Amino acid sequence: MADQHESIDLRSPPVDPSVAAAHSWFPGPPPPIYSCNLTPELVAKAREELQEKPEWRLRDVQALRDMILKEQPNLRTRLDDAFLLRFLRARKFDYDRALQLLLNYQAGRKAWPEVFQDLKPSTVKHVLDLGFLTVLPRPDPNGRYILCLRPGKWKPNDYPFVDNVRAIYLTLEKLIQPEETQVNGIVILADYTGVGMSQASNPGPFLAKKVVSILQDGFPIRIKAVNIINEPRIFKGIFAIIKPFLKEKMAERYVLHGSDLRSLHRNIPAMVLPEEYGGTAGQLDMSAWSRLLLDCEEEFIVEFCQPDPLEGVLLPDSMPFEGEQTSGQDDDTFRGLRSQLYYCY
């Protein structure tokens, strides 16, 4: 069975050392031949929270690799240790759940070609230039990097909303490379300043469902908290679109702060926040993360601009993206929610 994988490069994408050196504030990806670089503290944390046993780590990776080769011999996917570890850690070393997550990850790419076709940083430069998102340079005290989203910067006439999803996905792909992120997870900070009716009603429940499905069930990252600030009154309508698709555990991680910076600082300390959010870490720099992504162009070309990874693969019936189409019910739901948005506005 392994022979069917040999014609595809299943190793980690090449990393330019000069690129890593130019962006030393963010950890580089693991080397082609895996070697654990977790600190003793993170090894202990991974053992306690993720059931990761250092002495069994590579055995567990091999077990997942064997499952893929046996159960999904046609799946075009990387099989290197570093890549498979992402999925094991995201599912607490449960082999079956890790394999399902990997299949979901690949199924999302097949089900949403508008997002994943020709996915590379240069194709979302306009999103980065607009200031829609960035990653703050300092992690919080729990070692979690903070993904800062500013949806109010985008207007529907600027470009399709799906371009924002592309930029978010590329950012997540870069964030998940360091082992620290795989263990610690990330925090999202969403600033809704400037969000009005045009932004709130644009994605719709179908698009919202696909985004949530990928983040919850189709990507190997642990989102530990979602902090919403400066949300307008219409956010109740926005959240009404999203909430039906959130698992209970994820819904509980949403924290709404309004304009109360003291409330925000109880969740994200001021020392890692920029001045714009009452922090002491200098002014918000939107360019550093943009430069980092754009400098990794070749890496993403290897990762995403390749043949369909699911060609010839038989997927389980329970895939979260299978058969998702807009239905009359979705349309009715959206009309009702649109009315709520107008009322709140």
Side-chain angles (χ1 to χ4, degrees), residues 145-210:
Y145 277 96
I146 301 164
L147 169 57
C148 180
L149 302 174
R150 303 196 297 171
K153 292 291 181 180
W154 170 77
K155 304 294 186 294
N157 290 334
D158 293 337
Y159 52 78
F161 181 82
V162 74
D163 288 3
N164 293 328
V165 180
R166 287 165 64 87
I168 292 172
Y169 198 91
L170 284 170
T171 291
L172 294 177
E173 283 286 348
K174 195 63 188 174
L175 279 172
I176 200 57
Q177 286 183 349
E179 291 193 279
E180 299 94 316
T181 302
Q182 297 168 26
V183 175
N184 292 324
I186 65 168
V187 169
I188 294 176
L189 171 60
D191 178 2
Y192 273 75
T193 298
V195 171
M197 268 304 307
S198 60
Q199 296 100 328
S201 60
N202 187 271
F206 176 58
L207 189 54
K209 181 180 180 182
K210 293 185 83 167

Side-chain angles (χ1 to χ4, degrees), residues 82-154:
F83 180 75
L84 296 182
L85 265 174
R86 302 176 189 179
F87 295 88
L88 285 167
R89 285 170 171 153
R91 291 298 180 262
K92 299 185 177 180
F93 282 77
D94 182 313
Y95 301 161
D96 292 324
R97 294 177 64 225
L99 176 57
Q100 183 64 56
L101 178 59
L102 175 61
L103 291 174
N104 292 353
Y105 173 85
Q106 302 291 7
R109 293 170 63 173
K110 184 178 179 67
W112 208 352
E114 305 96 313
V115 170
F116 295 100
Q117 187 172 5
D118 196 32
L119 183 60
K120 53 190 177 183
S122 61
T123 64
V124 298
K125 186 176 183 298
H126 56 291
V127 180
L128 301 172
D129 290 345
L130 191 67
F132 179 83
L133 64 74
T134 191
V135 172
L136 302 186
R138 296 179 59 185
D140 71 6
N142 294 311
R144 305 175 300 196
Y145 277 96
I146 301 164
L147 169 57
C148 180
L149 302 174
R150 303 196 297 171
K153 292 291 181 180
W154 170 77

Side-chain angles (χ1 to χ4, degrees), residues 19 21 41 65 75 79 102 104 147 239:
V19 171
E41 292 78 15
R65 186 181 294 117
L75 182 65
L79 292 174
L102 175 61
N104 292 353
L147 169 57
F239 196 62

